[in-house]
């Protein structure tokens, strides 16, 4: 079975500094996708970044980058130049393939990030 | 802007009183999902539709049902809500196809309270 582990329940970072949120995964499927989502207190899940298992380059989207280490089965999210608005819960997720009917997301337990002014 | 819309944002119901949550999308995605997220937990998939094909998760209680009358709309029906069904209900959509990441985009959620 696929599994996502986020070992940091909570993290603090100073405004304008960079922060790394850890994520490790376990799967026997050679083809998989990894996602990071941000969930503010309002509850909406906001897609941040995607990494495919066959992608050669680490994914980047603006201030977000994904440090993908396939051999270690880790997919850490790096947020550069933290802003107060980055304070939220962050979920790492893996897509579990459901054949030709789509795929479901398996989520980690989340990391609560607090940005200090 | 293309988006996923959920109504209502907040729903209060009484124990045992049926409730329907709605989700609509303007993304023209072929897959729609319903997730349940209880307080301080990760979201958990209840079921999803690929076009008109319904896919139920094995551990989703019979109390939860869904309808997808067309591509744009999907409904979550809770036939007899219990106190344990109080949660955030998240609708998501994705496009399944060759060469696409099948990224799921979520609506703002409906927070359900059961009295």
């Amino acid at each position: 079975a696929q599994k996502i582990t986020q070992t940091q329940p909570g993290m603090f970072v100073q405004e304008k500094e960079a922060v790394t949120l850890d994520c490790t995964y376990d799967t026997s499927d050679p083809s998989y996708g990894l996602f990071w989502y941000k969930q503010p207190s309002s509850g909406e899940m906001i897609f941040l970044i995607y990494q495919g298992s066959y992608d050669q380059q680490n994914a980047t989207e603006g201030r977000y980058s994904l440090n993908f280490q396939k051999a270690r089965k880790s997919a850490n999210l790096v947020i550069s130049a933290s802003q107060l608005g980055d304070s939220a819960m962050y979920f790492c997720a893996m897509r579990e393939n459901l054949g030709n009917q789509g795929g479901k997301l398996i989520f980690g337990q989340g990391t609560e990030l607090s940005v200090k002014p | 802007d293309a988006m996923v819309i959920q109504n209502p944002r907040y729903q209060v119901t009484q124990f045992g009183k049926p409730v329907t949550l709605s989700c609509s999308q303007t993304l023209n995605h072929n897959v729609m999902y319903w997730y349940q997220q209880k307080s301080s937990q990760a979201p958990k998939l209840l079921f999803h539709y690929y076009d008109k094909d319904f896919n139920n998760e094995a551990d989703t209680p019979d109390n939860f049902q869904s309808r997808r009358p067309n591509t744009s709309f999907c409904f979550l029906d809770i036939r007899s809500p219990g106190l344990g069904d109080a949660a955030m209900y998240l609708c998501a959509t994705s496009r399944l196809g060759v060469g696409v990441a099948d990224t799921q985009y979520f609506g703002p959620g409906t927070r359900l309270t059961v009295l």
Side-chain angles (χ1 to χ4, degrees):
Chain A
Q2 296 181 326
K3 188 178 179 183
I4 293 282
T5 303
Q6 293 180 254
T7 57
Q8 305 154 314
M11 289 277 288
F12 288 92
V13 65
Q14 204 68 39
E15 193 179 7
K16 299 180 186 176
E17 307 242 320
V19 63
T20 298
L21 306 184
D22 294 342
C23 173
T24 58
Y25 61 91
D26 191 21
T27 181
S28 57
D29 195 336
S31 177
Y32 51 89
L34 295 158
F35 302 81
W36 277 93
Y37 286 86
K38 172 184 177 181
Q39 188 175 42
S41 57
S42 60
E44 182 175 2
M45 294 286 279
I46 302 166
F47 166 69
L48 296 178
I49 196 165
Y50 165 80
Q51 180 83 44
S53 58
Y54 294 121
D55 293 342
Q56 297 294 319
Q57 306 272 353
N58 284 344
T60 60
E61 288 286 349
R63 294 187 298 112
Y64 305 107
S65 60
L66 202 151
N67 184 1
F68 182 47
Q69 298 191 40
K70 197 169 181 177
R72 292 187 176 184
K73 293 190 175 180
S74 75
N76 298 339
L77 177 70
V78 181
I79 306 174
S80 63
S82 298
Q83 302 172 356
L84 296 178
D86 293 335
S87 295
M89 181 72 86
Y90 288 81
F91 287 98
C92 180
M94 169 180 283
R95 180 182 182 276
E96 179 178 312
N97 190 23
L98 298 176
N100 62 358
Q101 292 294 307
K104 74 179 186 184
L105 291 177
I106 307 296
F107 288 88
Q109 287 306 303
T111 296
E112 180 83 48
L113 177 67
S114 298
V115 181
K116 294 182 178 180
Chain B
D1 286 342
M3 56 177 57
V4 182
I5 301 161
Q6 289 187 246
N7 285 303
R9 295 291 308 276
Y10 301 90
Q11 177 73 58
V12 180
T13 191
Q14 291 184 328
F15 183 93
K17 186 173 181 181
V19 67
T20 295
L21 310 182
S22 76
C23 177
S24 64
Q25 54 125 344
T26 60
L27 297 163
N28 201 29
H29 283 172
N30 49 12
V31 192
M32 294 186 77
Y33 309 80
W34 280 103
Y35 287 85
Q36 179 193 61
Q37 185 180 25
K38 294 188 176 180
S39 182
S40 301
Q41 295 184 21
K44 181 178 175 299
L45 183 67
L46 294 172
F47 27 58
H48 76 283
Y49 276 94
Y50 172 51
D51 287 333
K52 293 183 182 238
D53 294 337
F54 177 69
N55 296 270
N56 199 29
E57 289 296 292
D59 56 356
T60 298
D62 292 341
N63 198 25
F64 291 86
Q65 298 185 336
S66 185
R67 297 168 282 137
R68 189 180 185 187
N70 54 52
T71 301
S72 302
F73 284 87
C74 195
F75 299 96
L76 169 61
D77 300 309
I78 309 176
R79 290 193 296 184
S80 181
L83 297 179
D85 297 328
M88 175 73 92
Y89 290 87
L90 295 162
C91 174
T93 73
S94 72
R95 172 175 295 284
L96 183 64
V98 176
V100 295
D102 191 27
T103 299
Q104 294 187 22
Y105 294 92
F106 286 79
T110 294
R111 199 174 293 275
L112 178 68
T113 300
V114 182
L115 301 177

